[in-house]
């Protein structure tokens, strides 16, 4: 590569595009910044941001888990119904996007009684969803069966929920069309 990547300041949480060979004045400065790579999706508990190699980023309001006063509760990340656990061991692949409109009529009907492939239907999932995969395992194995999805109301059983911003995010994700690492790091 050319040394240009997205970096996260480990004390402030700030994310910037840096040249790792020229923008860091000392090893100490470099140690404060975590190299996130060229392309990624970053979830901080209140927004899902897509960072791209053209130095642009786009954010969408998002939450995870059962909410308290409309907000993600990071302290519950290891509990049932809590938000997705922090880590940089996830990835999402646009080839795995699932569409409500692709389901059979039968699957759409039984979703109403919280059965089938999309229990709760569009109300719970939105019109699109994508499974969150572990970065270093074979395709098909999921960590916790998490998704990025939408729905009528914010809040989920641990997935990243974009609720009404679902279609906007998936439009961008489909256009970009690259497997992206997903980093989950909650604001302090």
């Amino acid at each position: 590569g050319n040394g240009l990547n997205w970096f996260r300041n480990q004390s402030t949480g700030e994310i910037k595009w840096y040249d790792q060979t020229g923008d860091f004045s000392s090893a100490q400065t470099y140690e404060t910044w975590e190299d996130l790579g060229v392309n990624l999706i970053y979830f901080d508990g209140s927004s899902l941001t897509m960072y791209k190699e053209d130095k642009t980023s786009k954010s969408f309001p998002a939450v995870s888990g059962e909410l308290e006063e409309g907000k993600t509760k990071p302290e519950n990340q290891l509990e049932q119904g809590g938000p997705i656990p922090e880590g940089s061991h996830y990835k999402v692949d646009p080839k795995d996007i699932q569409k409500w409109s692709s389901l059979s009529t039968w699957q759409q009907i039984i979703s109403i009684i919280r059965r089938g492939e999309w229990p709760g239907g569009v109300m719970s999932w939105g019109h699109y969803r994508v499974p969150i995969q572990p970065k270093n395992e074979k395709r098909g194995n999921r960590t916790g069966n998490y998704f990025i999805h939408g729905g009528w109301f914010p809040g989920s059983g641990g997935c990243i929920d974009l609720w009404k911003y679902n279609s906007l995010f998936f439009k961008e994700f489909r256009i970009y069309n690259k497997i992206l690492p997903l980093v989950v790091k909650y604001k302090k």
Side-chain angles (χ1 to χ4, degrees):
N2 58 5
L4 293 169
N5 279 346
W6 290 100
F7 286 84
R8 179 183 165 277
N9 185 308
Q10 296 184 59
S11 39
T12 66
E14 173 187 26
I15 297 177
K16 283 191 163 181
W17 181 258
Y18 274 129
D19 178 346
Q20 60 192 3
T21 56
D23 286 341
F24 293 106
S25 54
S26 68
Q28 184 185 6
T29 308
Y30 187 75
E31 285 168 19
T32 6
W33 292 85
E34 174 189 5
D35 186 343
L36 298 175
V38 180
N39 300 294
L40 74 141
I41 297 176
Y42 192 92
F43 177 63
D44 67 7
S46 62
S47 63
L48 187 66
T49 305
M50 192 180 313
Y51 291 94
K52 301 187 255 184
E53 62 199 305
D54 64 3
K55 298 193 226 173
T56 63
S57 63
K58 197 158 214 163
S59 288
F60 306 87
V63 293
S64 182
E66 295 168 1
L67 306 181
E68 192 169 278
E69 295 173 9
K71 293 186 169 68
T72 301
K73 300 185 291 191
E75 63 277 10
N76 294 353
Q77 60 187 294
L78 299 177
E79 294 175 21
Q80 185 68 33
I84 185 170
E86 285 187 321
S88 53
H89 55 278
Y90 304 110
K91 68 179 179 183
V92 285
D93 185 343
K95 286 192 228 45
D96 294 337
I97 293 172
Q98 301 167 6
K99 292 185 227 159
W100 170 257
S101 60
S102 299
L103 288 177
S104 69
T105 306
W106 173 247
Q107 283 294 328
Q108 291 183 3
I109 291 168
I110 64 172
S111 77
I112 296 165
I113 56 168
R114 305 193 73 69
R115 299 281 185 267
E117 294 171 31
W118 286 47
V122 174
M123 206 169 137
S124 297
W125 295 96
H127 288 276
Y128 307 95
R129 67 183 189 182
V130 67
I132 297 170
Q133 304 277 357
K135 213 191 274 183
N136 299 320
E137 291 181 39
K138 294 187 287 302
R139 287 175 60 82
N141 293 349
R142 291 204 194 105
T143 334
N145 205 22
Y146 300 117
F147 285 81
I148 295 175
H149 67 79
W152 290 4
F153 307 100
S156 69
C159 296
I160 297 174
D161 186 356
L162 291 153
W163 78 104
K164 62 185 177 185
Y165 304 97
N166 188 33
S167 295
L168 295 171
F169 168 79
F170 278 99
K171 180 180 177 197
E172 286 291 317
F173 187 45
R174 274 196 319 268
I175 290 168
Y176 203 51
N177 199 26
K178 289 186 176 172
I179 297 172
L180 293 175
L182 168 66
V183 176
V184 177
K185 182 79 178 156
Y186 296 108
K187 292 182 205 164
K188 299 262 184 279

